[in-house]
Amino acid sequence: MSTQQEQPLSLNVNGRTYKLLVEQRDTLADTLRNQCKLTGTHIGCEHGVCGACTVIVDGEPVRSCLMFAVQAEGKTIRTVEGLASGEKLSPLQQAFIENHGLQCGFCTPGFLMLTTAALEQNPDLDDDQIKDLVSSNICRCTGYQNILAAVRQAAGVMQASRQAAE
Ligand code: FES
Ligand code: FES
């Protein structure tokens, strides 16, 4: 039931339009999880430190715990649920599996969205740039080496497919 604080909101997520009622204080992370039922976006620290809640908004990685849902109206939002094409995993998802880039998996959607956005912008990231990139998200149960290996592998796949398309 609508309350006085709620307002209608239309969100474009993974190519689908969601017609919602939200309060102005609702974060994008909570709205994606609780209203759109896209629970792949995880919430850890809720204050912009861990990166578990990272989604892609208009091509940029965004910490969805720091963005109000109403700020996302009219923008194109992508979550981890939109990375695969049917049964075909994205190059990064495949590389995370092949390189054992996760243990508990709680941080994984955030890493996937962060690195997807970065590699889509520039698949030619060098090792130092990849290290710098993944250092912005927190994984509490790996030594980051396998995550780095996964991102390197996916970068190679994306470079090759870009060259093949040229
Ligand atoms: Fe958003 Fe940690 S839950 S940065
Ligand atoms: Fe467990 Fe990253 S795989 S926190």
Side-chain angles (χ1 to χ4, degrees):
M1 189 173 70
S2 172
T3 68
Q4 277 191 333
Q5 291 80 30
E6 287 180 327
Q7 64 183 72
L9 175 71
S10 175
L11 284 186
N12 179 333
V13 189
N14 300 330
R16 176 177 160 193
T17 301
Y18 291 82
K19 302 279 187 196
L20 310 170
L21 280 176
V22 299
E23 295 188 21
Q24 288 198 344
R25 65 180 180 172
D26 289 343
T27 66
L28 180 58
D30 282 333
T31 303
L32 288 169
R33 289 180 56 82
N34 300 334
Q35 294 221 43
C36 302
K37 306 301 180 193
L38 295 169
T39 54
T41 298
H42 292 164
I43 298 175
C45 66
E46 288 190 274
H47 61 275
V49 174
C50 72
C53 64
T54 304
V55 298
I56 300 176
V57 179
D58 282 351
E60 297 292 335
V62 165
R63 299 194 175 210
S64 60
C65 70
L66 295 184
M67 185 175 196
F68 293 117
V70 292
Q71 294 176 294
E73 187 152 41
K75 300 184 186 299
T76 300
I77 303 158
R78 293 161 63 199
T79 68
V80 71
E81 289 88 350
L83 284 183
S85 305
E87 298 290 306
K88 186 169 168 38
L89 298 178
S90 77
L92 268 160
Q93 289 174 308
Q94 190 63 40
F96 266 68
I97 291 173
E98 291 176 12
N99 293 277
H100 310 290
L102 63 148
Q103 288 184 40
C104 77
F106 191 85
C107 64
T108 308
F111 275 104
L112 287 170
M113 300 318 286
L114 172 76
T115 53
T116 293
L119 291 182
E120 284 177 352
Q121 289 177 10
N122 178 17
D124 299 322
L125 295 179
D126 65 27
D127 233 42
D128 285 343
Q129 288 171 315
I130 292 173
K131 280 184 193 164
D132 192 46
L133 176 71
V134 302
S135 72
S136 77
N137 280 28
I138 295 173
C139 173
R140 293 171 178 82
C141 53
T142 84
Y144 282 78
Q145 292 306 322
N146 294 352
I147 294 173
L148 288 168
V151 178
R152 279 189 208 108
Q153 176 179 312
V157 170
M158 291 167 79
Q159 285 161 9
S161 70
R162 187 189 59 179
Q163 282 159 8
E166 283 172 357

